[in-house]
Amino acid sequence: MKRHILPLPGERAPGGLAHLTAPLTLLFLGYLAVAGSFVAATAEHVDAALALLTGFAGCALLMPACALLAQRFPHRRWASGLWVFCPLALQPYLYVSAERYATALHGRYLDGEIIAWERLVFGGSPNLALDRYVTPVLTEVMMACYFSYYLLMSLPALWLVARRRARHAAELMFAQFLAHALCYPGYVLLPLRGPVHALAGEFGTPQLSGFFVTATQNAIMRLDPLGTCFPSSHVAMSWAALLTMRRLVPGRVFRPCAVLVCCLTISVVYCRYHYLSDVCVGLAVAALAAYLTRRLHKEYPHVPSGDRTGRALADRGRLRRGVAARS
């Protein structure tokens, strides 16, 4: 069976409804179907369940609309960009909405259990251990690393779209959204408020203080939903993106992103947004998401700009697809 794919530079646009059947579109719609089914099944324990289901329905209509635009204008970067970035644009709504159903199964947050488990395994709380190193300058650096998440989730895909590599941008966005989708069951199975709330009375420095970035990030975190700590979606999405990005972008783009992702991983614990357990499971989710992304996109030639083997990879990919089509 021949699979629908997006065009690389110089290739003809795919026929049929390739964007509607592409992995990114199907993943997004599949997530909405699963989340909507769970909300409907636990409606009596979900705040404003009907409004939430209506919002999911609106998202489910918007994604195919963007896919059809990308199909209608396959070589227009604005159309490809709308489709590729649609899941990312709607993600804040989906993420904030998770607070409404995070405690639908347990009816409460389970921070006490995870804190006791970490103290048993690590001999103490890693969040409290980092408290001894807190300074305003270090806090500002860590907050900047945490804030870089918003750039990491958008700029590499935008870079690919700008170079008319919508297929690769869609693959990168697929990895990111898949990682986040895999985090949602954790929110329900182990709803946590996070160490910033649960350990508030135990920190030697009650409030992290820094400068401009710290103030900006603190303002953003006032909108952060409760119950969405386990696993860390920041860690899962950024590492899934990084592991996928290494096949899609040149070293000059990959290396700075790798440094930021490593620093971000430390910052989520330092900034008291996540337990170390959230980070460990987030890394496992990222590895799974990156593996599944590569398996689903394995026949696509990856051609990082500036890579000397780029042309050979593209030619080999086209030859392989030609042989498969004739067979």
Side-chain angles (χ1 to χ4, degrees):
M1 179 178 177
K2 187 176 180 180
R3 295 183 57 176
H4 294 304
I5 55 177
L6 302 175
L8 281 173
E11 292 184 333
R12 296 178 60 185
L17 296 175
H19 293 78
L20 279 173
T21 59
L24 179 61
T25 305
L26 296 180
L27 170 65
F28 187 78
L29 296 179
Y31 162 75
L32 291 174
V34 173
S37 299
F38 177 79
V39 170
T42 60
E44 60 182 6
H45 304 293
V46 177
D47 180 32
L50 182 58
L52 187 55
L53 290 173
T54 303
F56 284 175
C59 294
L61 292 175
L62 189 58
M63 184 65 182
C66 292
L68 289 174
L69 275 176
Q71 188 69 34
R72 177 65 179 83
F73 305 102
H75 296 295
R76 298 296 179 90
R77 280 174 286 191
W78 64 266
S80 298
L82 281 177
W83 173 63
V84 167
F85 284 96
C86 183
L88 187 64
L90 296 175
Q91 190 169 295
Y93 168 75
L94 300 177
Y95 181 56
V96 171
S97 299
E99 182 176 358
R100 299 190 190 180
Y101 58 84
T103 57
L105 286 183
H106 298 284
R108 65 184 181 90
Y109 298 109
L110 304 178
D111 291 80
E113 285 80 351
I114 198 70
I115 291 172
W117 185 86
E118 287 203 341
R119 285 174 174 168
L120 177 64
V121 174
F122 302 121
S125 170
N127 299 95
L128 295 176
L130 289 176
D131 187 48
R132 70 188 68 173
Y133 303 107
V134 167
T135 66
V137 173
L138 182 57
T139 296
E140 185 75 359
V141 172
M142 289 289 100
M143 288 289 185
C145 293
Y146 190 86
F147 186 84
S148 70
Y149 165 84
Y150 308 111
L151 304 178
L152 287 166
M153 293 302 99
S154 56
L155 292 185
L158 185 63
W159 185 87
L160 290 167
V161 170
R163 281 156 178 75
R164 300 186 182 278
R165 293 171 58 192
R167 179 197 303 174
H168 294 156
E171 180 177 351
L172 179 57
M173 197 59 65
F174 178 91
Q176 294 176 189
F177 191 80
L178 177 59
H180 203 185
L182 292 173
C183 289
Y184 280 87
Y187 302 160
V188 174
L189 295 174
L190 193 63
L192 304 174
R193 294 187 303 156
V196 68
H197 300 289
L199 295 172
E202 299 187 43
F203 287 110
T205 307
Q207 182 72 34
L208 293 177
S209 61
F211 307 102
F212 174 75
V213 178
T214 301
T216 302
Q217 185 58 43
N218 285 337
I220 294 174
M221 292 305 292
R222 293 190 185 101
L223 303 175
D224 195 56
L226 295 177
T228 57
C229 282
F230 181 87
S232 170
S233 60
H234 278 61
V235 171
M237 292 181 67
S238 58
W239 276 98
L242 186 68
L243 293 173
T244 303
M245 205 186 304
R246 64 179 179 175
R247 299 180 287 110
L248 304 178
V249 302
R252 68 177 185 275
V253 176
F254 176 81
R255 284 189 290 271
C257 291
V259 172
L260 285 176
V261 169
C262 291
C263 294
L264 183 151
T265 305
I266 300 171
S267 74
V268 300
V269 179
Y270 176 93
C271 296
R272 307 171 181 177
Y273 298 142
H274 288 282
Y275 302 101
L276 183 57
S277 302
D278 305 338
V279 173
C280 295
V281 179
L283 290 171
V285 168
L288 177 60
Y291 170 77
L292 293 175
T293 299
R294 184 167 187 173
R295 293 289 298 175
L296 288 170
H297 300 81
K298 62 182 179 180
E299 80 279 17
Y300 296 0
H302 300 116
V303 192
S305 299
D307 188 342
R308 295 179 181 178
T309 64
R311 188 179 300 276
L313 284 170
D315 292 341
R316 186 169 61 187
R318 294 188 182 99
L319 178 62
R320 184 167 61 248
R321 292 198 303 276
V323 171
R326 287 194 296 273
S327 62

